[in-house]
Structure formats: C-alpha cells, structure tokens
Amino acid sequence: MKLDILAFGAHPDDIELGAGGTLAKAIANGKKVGIVDLTRGELGTRGSAEIRDAEAAAAGKILGLEARENLKFADGFFTNDKVHQLEVIKMIRKYKPEIVLCNAIDDRHIDHAKGSKLVSDSCFLSGLIKIETKLSKNEQLQEAWRPKRVYHYIQWKHIEPDFLVDVSGFMDKKIEAFMAYGSQFYDPKSNEPETPISNKNFVDGIVSRAVDMGKFIGVTHAEGFTTERYLAVKSLDDLI
C-alpha cells in the first residue's frame, strides 16, 4: 500500500495532538495517510499499553487512516541506532510516502527529540540501495525509498514554526481524535494520578495554540511545522 503521508510518533497520541488537524484535512482531500507509533507508551503514568493500543485504534478510525502500526520500541529507552533505524526504514519502504511527519525537534519528553532524529535519519538511509531490508525472512528485499519531504510537528514547547497549515474546519476532528485517548486526557471521573496533560487547561491550550497560529495567517485555526530543508514555491501566488 502506497501512502501520500506517513506520520511517526514516539507515543500513541503524539501525532493527533501535533498534527491531527493537518492529517484530517489531508484525508478529507483524498490523501492516503498512515501512522506508525514507535512505542506503546507503556511508561505513561495513566492507563496501560493495552489501553493505549485500543485508544490508538479508535483514534485512527476517527481520522480515517489507511493504516496504523506500532513498532513496540521501549518507551523511554529506545535509541537512534542501526537496530531501530532498520525497523523505521522497513516502514518507510513498505508504505513509500511522499511526505513524512515526525516528532518535534526539541521537547519536554526525551522520546520526542529522540524519535524526531531517529525518523529523520531513517528517511535519508531508506534511500540508500545498499541497505537491504525485508519485512520478514520469507519476503523479497524491499526497494529503496526516500520521502520527498520530512516535516516536524510542534508539541509541548513553543517552537517557532517554519510554516503553518490552515486547519480551519478540522479542529473538531482533531479534538475527537486525541480525546479518544481517554486514559491520558481530561476526565473529571478519573481516579488516576494527575499529569501535566490530564487537566482541562492542557486541552484548552491545544485549541488556543491553534487559534494563535491561525491568526498569523488570517485563518481560524492552524498547525505549525518545522523543516530541515528550505521550503520552495513555484511562485508567490502559492503563498496564502
């Protein structure tokens, strides 16, 4: 299955929070989108790996994903090394995305920056034909594939975006998708320990950030991204 966009997140819910509106809009416009979660978020204070598996599946249905996979790396302890890079490369070569989205380049949670660099490096390595990968021992060698563009969504920290995506009209879908992770976010009936993301202020802050970013480009809501390469347009008319 070839996808237009493949989004990677260190934990289930990273992508919904950082780029849920962008993905919902892309899917509404006919793009084929998939998600790969690097870990099951098993070290999270609230919930469990099994609960988050179910929540991720529900969020994927809400967004309308073509595919969602979990590489089951060790939450908190995965590294950017050959073993992990090869597993990410297998996903890139399996889905052959034109665009890859990955974690913020710097953030409060150490897995976010690690995941960002791991996926970015793997996107480059995936284009090298002398790196051989198979999805399983009995399958053929995968073809080399390098995405045309790699972008990083913004998470906890207020990173200056390189560009903004107008997600007006898709905030409800974004909120529905990340609130599918009921174990993680605001639930007045929950008896689990409170965390920095489990209070109502956090959810309100996600919406406020989208409003703030939107006002900079004259729209209702927007999501911000950074890029490691120069952005290019064919003409000034491509800018909104």
Side-chain angles (χ1 to χ4, degrees):
M1 181 193 305
K2 186 183 185 315
L3 298 176
D4 298 298
I5 303 171
L6 184 60
F8 287 85
H11 313 104
D13 77 28
D14 282 355
I15 297 159
E16 288 87 348
L17 287 168
T22 298
L23 295 187
K25 183 174 183 177
I27 291 167
N29 289 332
K31 299 294 185 182
K32 292 185 177 181
V33 176
I35 284 178
V36 175
D37 300 304
L38 301 182
T39 78
R40 298 171 75 197
E42 63 270 20
L43 293 183
T45 302
R46 295 159 65 103
S48 65
E50 292 74 20
I51 289 172
R52 297 187 77 171
D53 288 345
E55 291 170 343
K61 289 181 180 179
I62 291 167
L63 288 173
L65 300 177
E66 295 287 331
R68 184 165 204 156
E69 300 201 34
N70 194 304
L71 292 179
K72 298 181 180 179
F73 294 163
D75 189 13
F77 295 100
F78 71 85
T79 57
N80 182 12
D81 60 10
K82 181 178 180 180
V83 172
H84 291 83
Q85 288 166 354
L86 287 173
E87 294 305 309
V88 175
I89 288 169
K90 289 177 187 178
M91 293 293 100
I92 295 168
R93 291 177 172 180
K94 177 180 179 178
Y95 291 111
K96 296 180 170 58
E98 300 298 317
I99 297 171
V100 161
L101 302 183
C102 49
N103 284 100
I105 56 174
D106 179 38
D107 213 42
R108 171 180 173 272
H109 197 301
I110 60 172
D111 280 354
H112 295 172
K114 284 194 298 179
S116 174
K117 183 65 172 162
L118 167 60
V119 174
S120 179
D121 289 350
S122 299
C123 284
F124 176 81
L125 294 171
S126 182
L128 302 179
I129 61 173
K130 291 186 177 180
I131 294 177
E132 297 183 348
T133 58
K134 294 181 178 181
L135 285 174
S136 67
K137 291 183 179 179
N138 298 325
E139 295 198 36
Q140 294 181 339
L141 287 173
Q142 293 180 300
E143 295 181 359
W145 181 269
R146 183 175 294 147
K148 291 184 175 67
R149 286 152 286 179
V150 179
Y151 301 135
H152 304 262
Y153 45 88
I154 295 172
Q155 299 183 258
W156 184 275
K157 290 188 177 181
H158 289 280
I159 297 174
E160 189 74 19
D162 291 320
F163 67 93
L164 298 166
V165 176
D166 177 7
V167 296
S168 303
F170 293 93
M171 278 302 294
D172 286 346
K173 182 72 71 174
K174 173 189 174 87
I175 294 169
E176 184 184 1
F178 74 69
M179 287 304 290
Y181 297 89
S183 68
Q184 302 303 302
F185 302 116
Y186 179 66
D187 178 0
K189 298 179 182 179
S190 176
N191 293 318
E192 295 219 51
E194 188 166 330
T195 71
I197 66 172
S198 68
N199 57 72
K200 190 174 185 297
N201 286 341
F202 178 79
V203 175
D204 292 342
I206 295 295
V207 177
S208 295
R209 173 179 279 180
V211 172
D212 285 342
M213 289 189 176
K215 73 182 180 183
F216 291 119
I217 56 173
V219 301
T220 306
H221 299 100
E223 290 177 334
F225 297 83
T226 63
T227 178
E228 299 171 39
R229 300 174 58 185
Y230 286 112
L231 291 171
V233 295
K234 292 182 179 180
S235 73
L236 295 177
D237 293 332
D238 291 335
L239 299 171
I240 64 171

